[in-house]
Amino acid sequence: MEFISLLLPILAIIVTGFLFARFNLLPEGTGDRLIQFAMWVAIPALLFSVIAQEPFEKLLNPAFFICFGGSVLIVSCAVFAYVRLWLQKPLSETTLTAFMAVGSNTAFVALPVLHAMFGHKAVLPTAIATLILIILILITSILLDRFQTEPTAKRPSIALGFGRALLNPLVLSSVLGVAYAATGLPLPDMVKQYLGLLAMAVTPCALFAIGLSIRLGDLSNDAGVMVAISVIKLVVFPASVLGLAVLLHLDPILTIAATICAAVPVGKTVFVLAQAHHDHPERVAATITMSSVASVLTLAAWLTLLAYLFPNTVPQ
């Protein structure tokens, strides 16, 4: 099938990055620099160029928001209730665990995979999914600040949190793209070519950087917790998204994009939050690694299922 021939090079780039890291073939910190370039330059260029050229009315799709955003709410609340009420964990650990269950790496895995397979038409729903998750990041950060154990610590205001979220390059480029789309003006050809050249770097940079970041040695501790979170993240969450999409008769491309955005590994943002709040960062890092390794198989399985469900949409 053609989609297999498209998927294998994507996975091969991740494996190549892992091998380069395993044998120390690049200077230390290369992965971080690639991620910074992708986050601040390549991905914003792609998001802005695609969103800015879309008709404004296409940017609002209630069914997509319900499918992806609703699944985020259902799964995260279910995990929160189980961890808090059944396992009786502290509120901060409960909040972070609930976020791990749905915190997808949409920018660095879903976006390059979908862009490689479907082109620009899959970028817009991925951008919307990313914005939904960024809102969740903001909420999670605020909750962690409120649940921190040091009562005398200074807590940042909610307004400051919103301000930081707005300055996130992925959010800012998306918001600017929406604002430009609202004007109805076409992008000048020179601008499109400039942004297009930068956007071409998204797939190789992001996927190679993910491979560089995989650390198999992190998988030795808290195996039970990591397996449980990985199963929820890679199987339960995307199944919930796909189920809602089918029930609401969502467009096939939007259904595929939403499902893949849910099926990718846990994002590094969860580790950033865990480290900032001193809340089991080692366990979070190991879970990210486990979900990244396992997603090589589960992502292929989801794409195979989607190819069966939508034979005229997914490349055969």
Side-chain angles (χ1 to χ4, degrees):
M1 298 172 69
E2 184 182 343
F3 92 92
I4 292 293
S5 66
L6 290 172
L7 179 61
L8 288 179
I10 292 170
L11 299 179
I13 294 175
I14 297 176
V15 173
T16 302
F18 169 73
L19 292 176
F20 267 70
R22 175 68 179 80
F23 295 104
N24 297 316
L25 298 178
L26 291 174
E28 186 176 353
T30 298
D32 292 336
R33 290 182 176 88
L34 282 176
I35 288 174
Q36 290 299 314
F37 172 77
M39 183 172 181
W40 286 92
V41 181
I43 293 177
L46 178 60
L47 292 175
F48 177 82
S49 63
V50 170
I51 295 173
Q53 296 179 76
E54 289 287 343
F56 184 70
E57 58 273 11
K58 287 184 64 177
L59 300 178
L60 301 176
N61 190 310
F64 184 89
F65 279 94
I66 292 173
C67 291
F68 192 82
S71 294
V72 166
L73 186 62
I74 292 169
V75 174
S76 60
C77 287
V79 172
F80 186 97
Y82 176 78
V83 175
R84 179 61 177 170
L85 300 178
W86 185 262
L87 301 182
Q88 297 185 340
K89 297 295 184 181
L91 281 171
S92 58
E93 183 178 346
T94 301
T95 301
L96 198 63
T97 303
F99 180 40
M100 268 198 292
V102 295
S104 294
N105 199 340
T106 53
F108 290 96
V109 182
L111 182 59
V113 168
L114 290 168
H115 185 246
M117 297 187 72
F118 300 101
H120 280 12
K121 57 187 176 182
V123 173
L124 180 60
T126 308
I128 296 173
T130 302
L131 286 174
I132 292 173
L133 290 174
I134 287 173
I135 293 172
L136 182 63
I137 291 169
L138 174 60
I139 295 172
T140 301
S141 180
I142 292 173
L143 289 177
L144 289 174
D145 286 334
R146 301 301 161 186
F147 296 152
Q148 63 185 4
T149 56
E150 298 84 353
T152 59
K154 184 179 180 180
R155 300 172 180 177
S157 66
I158 295 177
L160 180 60
F162 275 105
R164 289 175 178 173
L166 186 60
L167 292 178
N168 180 295
L170 307 183
V171 177
L172 188 58
S173 59
S174 298
V175 170
L176 292 176
V178 170
Y180 194 91
T183 67
L185 298 173
L187 278 177
D189 289 339
M190 184 178 297
V191 174
K192 284 194 290 186
Q193 292 176 10
Y194 165 71
L195 294 175
L197 287 172
L198 291 175
M200 288 172 63
V202 168
T203 299
C205 281
L207 295 178
F208 193 84
I210 288 296
L212 287 174
S213 68
I214 293 176
R215 297 288 184 270
L216 296 181
D218 293 336
L219 303 180
S220 57
N221 299 317
D222 295 323
V225 175
M226 292 188 297
V227 169
I229 293 298
S230 295
V231 169
I232 294 171
K233 178 66 196 69
L234 301 177
V235 179
V236 177
F237 181 34
S240 173
V241 172
L242 180 58
L244 283 177
V246 172
L247 285 175
L248 295 176
H249 304 288
L250 193 64
D251 176 82
I253 282 289
L254 297 181
T255 299
I256 293 167
T259 304
I260 296 304
C261 283
V264 295
V266 179
K268 282 194 170 183
T269 306
V270 187
F271 175 74
V272 173
L273 289 177
Q275 198 170 41
H277 293 86
H278 308 289
D279 199 335
H280 301 89
E282 298 83 5
R283 179 193 298 171
V284 172
T287 304
I288 292 172
T289 298
M290 175 172 282
S291 66
S292 298
V293 173
S295 70
V296 174
L297 297 177
T298 57
L299 195 56
W302 279 112
L303 285 168
T304 302
L305 175 61
L306 292 168
Y308 174 77
L309 294 175
F310 308 103
N312 298 323
T313 304
V314 178
Q316 298 293 313

